[in-house]
């Protein structure tokens, strides 16, 4: 059966595909998404822009400048490119007095022959063409850039990736080799392509590292190649199933779903530890293989089922977020956690049934002295230092609450990207030279056909643009007003002093020229819709924190409402940066709900198992405290709440509560066995389950630490924070939980409070000797 399912799921691998779009954190029906889609329907895809730039005075030699223009021609010749705007094809708007219309003429007709001609062209670009300021050049630093528009049809497909790696990058490298100049490259299609490739590269690294570190820890505990090999078979099949389920459901591999295969390895190994260790304990007791395997299934089955169910529940709560990204992650992760449990329970007993009994050397780990010392330390701490435990826990709680108030929310599109990557340095370069690469769009609906070209509307838009220029985090905006100003400059024979909006008298004859200018209509389409009713103002924003973005958004709305009154204009503020910021805030709100749901679901599991409200409260304290401590640490260390780090809480809670279930199940059994003697039952439960909890926590700690190898800031933070949370949770469950049980013994240790459980997690007629 396992072989058949594995073959079937392996056949689904062909349906796997990597994502070529940005993560949309908002549901499709959200108003912010609807506004953004309306903008795309009106003006087309905004995320198809790649920019290349050079900041080097040696560019302005005839040889190098000709090479720069040649590069533009080569890019324009590529079928994946719809348009290149550069110095090579830079057009001057000139007046044709005979035809009474404007015409576009190329600035550079032929190759530049000498330095005198080069200096003349340079002077004209920087001093006489203000229309191209911020678009193609920075006047102050004399940085020149080329703007490349990808075909909108390929932006969100695999063709984009092939073009970037096979055509675009080789052309850039050839230019750099020929000239010795350093080309800076940025733009969302380029950033997303390199980002996606990093995700692909890291999947194999994560899987290899997770297998390596968990197998080493497993071997260190068991000192058995056979046991280690069997565990690796289980988790490798689990990884194959994970990829198969992704293919079967036709889900894309995103930065989150890429974490699932190594996650399955990390979560699967503790199952193997429980099952193989129990088998070896039984063999050591009576040497009967069939009886040992039967007890593994019957005795450990219920406990591991409940722990895997609680872990799966922690992940499954992401399904309610309405975010496609998190919903898919929650579905696939929870399905695979249940699958790895089933695989462990099926494969391990079956393989061992065909093998000889473990040798004496394989059972030595059950009697290690350092384990006895560790258990003794835990028992002594709980017995002698209970007040100190509570004081330390209280101090940690208060300190963490202070830290929580310092947490900030981050809605940055590029914060998690690899800081060491060359393209990240290039992003910062464009932020410095051109005030950002993240587009912010203002869509102005005049509510009347051809209303945009009214001089009163143009003046209002110009007033708004002047106010936008006052915001340092935003670039100089570009809109139809820039084109109208350029038209006036052209009418006055290219004199840059006339780069301004026409007055009432000039407006009539300048617009009459513009209407006859069919060759400039392509420029017009970039700024105004086909009806002339709606215009766009485009600016670019630096990568800044959510708080600043919200402040800028509020500032923009004040300026918009002041200049463009609501009764005359419908204004929409949108763009990828704002959509992502809103998505992050939406996600935070929804993930708080999902964590609350996870706590509620796991409380239901506890209620069903122990049928005691007081036990539910006691069991939640050592699991919620580590989450609060982690949140406080995030505040003190300046780690922001973002889509990646907020996953920490639901994931860690779902996993850490497993230890609580094991401990309390054993504690309840000991109570019954020892006729409700509290202290004896707590210490016995600690001895029986303490080392098991320690072993699995160590595996989980180092397993999740694998994600800290990532070049992505979010993945690195996820790995570190989950590892830290699970370590704190282990100490809370091994020390704080027993201390609470002993301190509250009069309130909870009676048959009325601890009623007969609905599920016998542990067997009635025997001890569970987990490790």
């Amino acid at each position: 059966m396992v072989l058949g399912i594995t073959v079937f799921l392996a056949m689904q691998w062909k349906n796997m595909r990597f994502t070529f779009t940005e993560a949309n954190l908002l549901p499709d029906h959200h108003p912010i998404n609807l506004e953004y889609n309306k903008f795309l329907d009106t003006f087309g895809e905004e995320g198809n822009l790649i920019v290349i730039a050079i900041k080097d005075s040696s560019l302005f030699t005839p040889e190098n400048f000709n090479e720069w223009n040649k590069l533009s021609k080569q890019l324009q010749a590529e079928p994946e490119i719809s348009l290149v705007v550069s110095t090579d094809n830079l057009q001057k708007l000139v007046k044709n007095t005979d035809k009474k219309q404007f015409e576009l003429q190329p600035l550079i007709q032929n190759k530049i022959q000498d330095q005198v001609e080069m200096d003349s062209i340079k002077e004209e670009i920087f001093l006489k063409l203000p229309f191209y300021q911020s678009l193609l050049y920075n006047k102050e630093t004399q940085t020149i850039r080329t703007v490349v528009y990808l075909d909108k049809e390929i932006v969100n497909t695999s063709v984009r990736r092939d073009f970037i790696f096979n055509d675009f990058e080789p052309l850039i490298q050839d230019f750099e080799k020929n000239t010795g100049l350093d080309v800076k490259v940025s733009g969302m299609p380029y950033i997303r392509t390199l980002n996606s490739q990093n995700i692909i590269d890291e999947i194999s690294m994560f899987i290899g590292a997770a297998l390596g570190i968990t197998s080493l820890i497993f071997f260190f505990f068991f000192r058995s190649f056979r046991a280690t090999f069997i565990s690796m078979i289980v988790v490798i099949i689990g990884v194959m199933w994970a990829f198969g389920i992704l293919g079967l459901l036709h889900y894309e591999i995103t930065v989150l779903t890429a974490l699932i295969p190594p996650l399955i390895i990390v979560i699967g190994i503790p199952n193997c530890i429980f099952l193989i260790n129990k088998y070896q304990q039984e063999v050591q007791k009576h040497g009967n293989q069939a009886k040992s395997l039967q007890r593994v299934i019957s005795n450990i089955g219920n406990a591991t089922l409940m722990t895997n169910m609680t872990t799966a529940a922690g992940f499954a709560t992401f399904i309610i977020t309405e975010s496609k990204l998190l919903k898919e992650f929650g579905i696939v992760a929870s399905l695979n956690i249940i699958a790895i449990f089933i695989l462990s329970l099926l494969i391990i007993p079956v393989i061992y049934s065909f093998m000889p009994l473990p040798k004496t050397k394989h059972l030595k780990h059950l009697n290690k002295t350092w384990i006895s010392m560790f258990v003794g330390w835990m028992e002594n701490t709980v017995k002698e230092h209970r007040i100190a435990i509570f004081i330390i826990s209280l101090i940690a709680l208060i300190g963490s609450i202070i830290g929580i108030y310092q947490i900030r929310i981050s809605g940055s599109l590029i914060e998690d990207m690899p800081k060491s990557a060359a393209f990240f340095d290039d992003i910062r370069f464009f932020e410095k030279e051109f005030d950002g690469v993240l587009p912010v769009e203002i869509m102005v609906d005049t509510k009347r056909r051809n209303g945009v070209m009214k001089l009163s509307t143009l003046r209002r838009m110009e007033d708004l643009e002047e106010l936008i220029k006052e915001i340092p985090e935003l670039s100089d905006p570009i809109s139809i007003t820039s084109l109208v100003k350029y038209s006036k400059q052209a009418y006055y024979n290219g004199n840059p002093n006339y780069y301004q909006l026409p007055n009432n008298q000039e407006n009539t004859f300048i617009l009459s020229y513009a209407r006859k200018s069919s060759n400039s209509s392509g420029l017009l389409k970039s700024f105004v819709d086909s009806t002339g009713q709606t215009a766009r103002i485009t600016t670019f924003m630096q990568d800044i924190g959510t708080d600043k973005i919200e402040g800028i958004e509020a500032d923009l709305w004040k300026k918009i409402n002041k200049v463009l009154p609501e009764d005359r204009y419908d204004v929409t503020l949108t763009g990828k940066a704002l959509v992502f910021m809103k998505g992050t805030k939406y996600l935070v709100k929804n993930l708080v709900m999902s964590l609350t749901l996870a706590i509620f679901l796991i409380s239901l599991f506890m209620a069903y198992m122990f049928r005691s409200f007081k036990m539910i409260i006691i069991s939640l304290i050592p699991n919620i405290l580590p989450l609060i401590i982690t949140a406080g640490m995030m505040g003190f260390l300046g780690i922001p709440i973002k889509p990646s780090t907020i996953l920490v809480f639901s994931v860690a809670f779902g996993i850490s509560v497993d230890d609580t279930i094991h401990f309390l199940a054993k504690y309840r059994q000991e109570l019954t066995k020892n006729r409700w003697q509290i202290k004896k039952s707590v210490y016995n439960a600690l001895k029986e389950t303490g080392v098991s909890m320690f072993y699995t926590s160590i595996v989980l700690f180092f397993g999740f630490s694998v994600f800290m190898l990532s070049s992505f800031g979010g993945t690195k933070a996820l790995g570190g924070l989950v590892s830290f949370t699970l370590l704190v949770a282990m100490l809370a469950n091994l020390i704080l939980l027993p201390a609470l049980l002993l301190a509250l013994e009069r309130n909870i240790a009676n048959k009325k409070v601890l009623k007969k459980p609905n599920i016998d997690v542990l067997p009635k007629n025997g001890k569970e000797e987990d490790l």
Side-chain angles (χ1 to χ4, degrees):
M1 182 180 78
V2 172
L3 181 63
I5 295 172
T6 305
V7 170
F8 169 73
L9 288 175
M11 290 169 66
Q12 305 304 312
W13 291 0
K14 64 180 183 290
N15 297 322
M16 282 195 307
R17 62 195 189 282
F18 293 93
T19 184
F20 295 104
T21 57
E22 286 143 325
N24 189 357
L25 305 178
L26 293 167
D28 294 338
H29 57 79
H30 195 280
I32 301 294
N33 251 351
L34 295 176
E35 286 181 351
Y36 182 62
N37 290 331
K38 182 185 175 184
F39 168 81
L40 295 182
D41 291 340
T42 307
F43 293 104
E45 173 65 47
E46 63 153 356
N48 64 330
L49 194 76
I50 297 178
V51 285
I52 58 176
I54 292 178
K55 182 184 179 181
D56 194 327
S57 59
S58 50
L59 171 66
F60 300 105
T61 63
E63 298 81 12
N64 286 344
F65 209 78
N66 286 332
E67 283 290 328
W68 180 247
N69 291 336
K70 177 186 170 185
L71 174 62
S72 299
K73 285 186 174 74
Q74 290 172 319
L75 289 170
Q76 185 66 74
E78 297 289 341
E80 295 85 358
I81 299 295
S82 62
L83 176 67
V84 175
V85 182
S86 70
T87 52
D88 172 60
N89 60 7
L90 193 147
Q91 303 287 309
K92 291 193 297 181
L93 197 64
V94 294
K95 180 176 68 170
N96 185 323
T97 310
D98 296 333
K99 295 181 180 179
K100 291 189 176 181
Q101 67 180 40
F102 294 121
E103 293 178 347
L104 289 170
Q105 290 182 0
L107 174 69
I108 300 171
Q109 305 278 358
N110 301 300
K111 272 190 174 184
I112 299 168
Q113 299 301 320
D114 52 42
Q115 192 62 44
V116 173
E117 185 184 357
M118 179 69 253
D119 291 341
S120 173
I121 288 169
K122 179 183 175 184
E123 182 183 350
E124 185 157 9
I125 290 172
F126 287 114
L127 299 179
K128 297 180 181 178
L129 295 172
F131 176 75
Y132 294 104
Q133 163 76 357
S134 297
L135 179 66
L136 290 186
Y137 68 88
N138 182 325
K139 186 177 178 180
E140 292 178 4
T141 62
Q142 304 218 325
T143 302
I144 290 281
R145 76 171 172 180
T146 293
V147 180
V148 180
Y149 292 88
L150 284 186
D151 182 349
K152 292 171 184 175
E153 300 300 318
I154 72 149
V155 170
N156 294 323
T157 69
S158 60
V159 178
R160 182 194 79 211
R161 179 193 61 197
D162 297 337
F163 165 71
I164 295 289
F165 289 124
N166 300 332
D167 301 310
F168 180 78
E169 286 203 321
L171 285 173
I172 299 296
Q173 288 161 7
D174 287 346
F175 171 83
E176 290 180 324
K177 185 178 177 183
N178 294 336
T179 63
L181 296 170
D182 178 29
V183 179
K184 304 292 184 182
V185 187
S186 196
M188 292 314 295
Y190 183 75
I191 293 169
R192 283 157 52 190
T193 301
L194 269 61
N195 230 13
S196 298
Q197 191 57 45
N198 275 346
I199 293 172
I200 294 166
D201 295 342
E202 286 191 353
I203 288 178
S204 52
M205 179 191 75
F206 284 151
I207 292 173
L211 281 171
I213 198 162
T214 51
S215 59
L216 274 174
I217 295 169
F218 193 95
F219 182 76
F220 174 76
F221 287 160
F222 286 89
R223 303 298 170 97
S224 166
F225 286 109
R226 183 167 70 179
T228 307
F229 181 70
I230 292 169
S231 298
M232 289 303 106
I233 289 174
V234 172
V235 293
I236 288 169
I237 293 173
V239 169
M240 293 171 70
W241 281 28
F243 282 124
I245 289 171
L246 278 169
L248 182 65
L249 297 174
H250 294 271
Y251 288 166
E252 291 181 335
I253 295 180
T254 64
V255 70
L256 284 185
T257 50
L259 303 179
I260 290 174
L263 204 62
I264 294 308
I265 296 170
V266 172
I267 292 172
I269 287 293
N271 286 340
C272 299
I273 287 178
F274 275 112
L275 295 169
I276 292 175
N277 194 73
K278 180 63 181 175
Y279 171 68
Q280 292 185 351
Q281 285 177 339
E282 290 294 330
V283 167
Q284 188 182 44
K285 278 202 293 189
H286 48 71
N288 187 320
Q289 188 178 52
K291 188 178 179 182
S292 298
L293 291 172
Q294 185 270 329
R295 285 194 175 176
V296 166
I297 296 167
S298 61
N299 292 6
I300 299 297
N302 273 340
T304 45
L305 171 63
M306 290 307 298
T307 54
N308 279 272
M309 286 294 288
T310 54
T311 303
F315 284 92
T317 54
F318 296 135
I319 298 169
I320 68 158
T321 58
E322 288 193 52
S323 165
K324 184 185 175 189
L325 181 78
L326 278 176
K327 190 173 287 189
E328 290 180 358
F329 175 68
I331 290 169
V332 177
S334 51
L335 285 175
N336 278 288
I337 288 164
I338 299 301
I340 196 73
F341 162 71
I342 294 168
L343 282 171
S344 304
L345 209 57
L346 289 176
I347 292 173
I348 290 173
V350 168
I351 290 180
Y352 270 114
S353 68
F354 289 101
M355 287 185 165
L357 286 168
K359 295 177 182 176
T360 307
K361 65 178 182 178
H362 296 143
L363 306 178
K364 283 182 181 178
H365 71 93
L366 298 170
N367 302 309
K368 285 196 176 108
T369 53
W370 69 270
I371 291 178
S372 302
M373 288 173 63
F374 176 69
V375 173
W377 172 80
M378 287 189 302
E379 188 176 338
N380 182 62
T381 303
V382 172
K383 190 182 292 182
E384 304 293 338
H385 306 289
R386 207 176 308 153
I387 302 299
I389 292 169
F390 295 144
I391 291 171
I392 291 169
S393 300
L394 187 62
I395 291 169
L397 177 65
I398 294 167
S400 300
I401 290 170
I402 294 168
I404 288 170
Y405 280 99
Q406 299 177 42
I407 290 183
R408 62 183 179 89
I409 297 172
S410 168
S412 166
L413 263 169
I414 60 177
E415 184 176 42
D416 281 347
M417 292 179 186
K419 303 290 188 294
S420 58
F423 75 84
F424 191 86
D425 292 334
D426 289 357
I427 291 170
R428 295 303 185 207
F429 170 83
F430 280 98
E431 280 191 345
K432 185 179 177 183
E433 295 295 321
F434 296 96
D435 294 321
V437 292
L438 304 175
V440 175
E441 301 283 354
I442 301 170
M443 194 162 63
V444 181
D445 184 352
T446 61
K447 301 184 182 180
R448 65 183 73 181
R449 192 176 181 85
N450 296 320
V452 171
M453 298 308 292
K454 281 185 167 292
L455 193 56
S456 59
T457 299
L458 293 172
R459 284 174 178 163
R460 286 177 183 275
M461 289 176 63
E462 184 188 33
D463 289 343
L464 177 59
E465 288 170 29
E466 289 302 317
L467 292 171
I468 289 171
K469 288 178 184 178
E470 294 173 5
I471 302 173
E473 293 84 4
L474 296 179
S475 68
D476 288 354
I478 185 167
S479 72
I480 183 62
T481 62
S482 308
L483 187 57
V484 174
K485 289 176 185 178
Y486 194 21
S487 299
K488 179 173 176 178
Q489 180 188 351
Y491 186 82
Y492 287 100
N493 302 314
N495 186 336
N497 292 327
Y498 287 95
Y499 183 74
Q500 56 191 240
L501 286 180
N503 57 36
N504 291 329
Q505 188 179 358
E506 295 167 327
N507 191 46
T508 306
F509 49 82
I510 287 176
L511 287 183
S512 72
Y513 268 68
R515 288 191 192 99
K516 296 176 185 176
S517 308
S518 59
N519 59 356
S520 63
S521 62
L523 280 171
L524 195 64
K525 285 178 185 174
S526 301
F527 305 121
V528 184
D529 74 336
S530 57
T531 66
Q533 178 174 316
T534 306
R536 73 191 282 193
I537 300 172
T538 302
T539 180
F540 291 89
M541 182 168 60
Q542 296 175 10
D543 179 50
I544 50 181
T546 302
D547 291 342
K548 276 193 176 180
I549 294 175
E550 287 180 327
I552 289 170
E553 185 189 15
D555 196 15
L556 274 175
W557 274 118
K558 280 181 187 175
K559 297 180 191 307
I560 289 167
N561 293 329
K562 179 183 176 183
V563 176
L564 299 166
E566 289 182 40
D567 58 327
R568 293 180 59 186
Y569 302 96
D570 282 336
V571 182
T572 303
L573 191 58
T574 187
K576 275 189 166 53
L578 290 176
V579 170
F580 190 81
M581 183 268 287
K582 299 281 187 186
T584 301
K585 293 208 75 175
Y586 175 85
L587 208 59
V588 169
K589 190 189 299 180
N590 276 266
L591 285 175
V592 168
M593 286 172 54
S594 74
L595 178 59
T596 306
L597 181 62
I599 292 170
F600 176 72
L601 286 177
I602 290 164
S603 298
L604 285 182
F605 281 131
M606 294 290 190
Y608 194 65
M609 286 168 53
F610 302 111
R611 304 187 69 188
S612 163
F613 179 74
K614 290 179 181 178
M615 286 294 285
I616 293 169
I617 301 300
I618 287 173
S619 66
L620 289 178
I621 290 171
N623 290 290
I624 292 175
L625 181 63
L627 303 185
I628 296 171
I629 291 172
T630 300
M633 188 183 73
M634 287 173 67
F636 287 125
L637 296 180
I639 301 170
I641 291 284
K642 48 189 172 181
S644 48
T645 55
I646 200 162
L647 297 178
V648 169
F649 301 102
S650 294
V651 170
F653 183 78
I655 295 172
S656 67
V657 81
D658 297 353
D659 286 344
T660 310
I661 290 173
H662 276 287
F663 183 86
L664 289 180
K666 186 63 189 174
Y667 167 67
R668 194 196 185 289
Q669 187 191 59
E670 288 293 330
L671 274 178
T672 309
K673 179 183 169 187
N674 295 307
R675 298 183 181 181
W676 305 91
Q677 295 180 49
I678 306 303
K679 289 181 181 176
K680 187 176 181 181
S681 300
V682 167
Y683 297 139
N684 283 353
L686 195 58
K687 287 175 186 174
E688 295 287 345
T689 61
V691 180
S692 163
M693 288 155 65
F694 174 73
Y695 275 15
T696 54
S697 294
I698 292 299
V699 170
L700 289 165
F701 175 81
F702 284 105
F704 275 100
S705 297
V706 161
F707 294 127
M708 294 179 71
L709 299 173
S710 175
S711 57
F712 289 91
T715 309
K716 194 178 289 185
L718 176 71
L721 290 171
V722 171
S723 296
F724 174 78
T725 310
L726 292 177
L727 199 63
V728 175
M730 176 195 75
L731 292 172
N733 278 304
L734 287 176
I735 297 173
L736 179 59
L737 180 58
L740 283 170
L741 290 171
L742 289 170
L744 303 172
E745 57 181 288
R746 292 182 182 177
N747 295 315
I748 60 171
N750 61 72
K751 295 180 183 179
K752 289 180 181 179
V753 172
L754 279 173
K755 300 170 188 173
K756 181 179 171 59
N758 281 308
I759 297 178
D760 282 325
V761 178
L762 299 178
K764 295 176 184 176
N765 55 351
K767 290 166 66 181
E768 181 196 15
E769 297 167 9
D770 292 332
L771 299 176

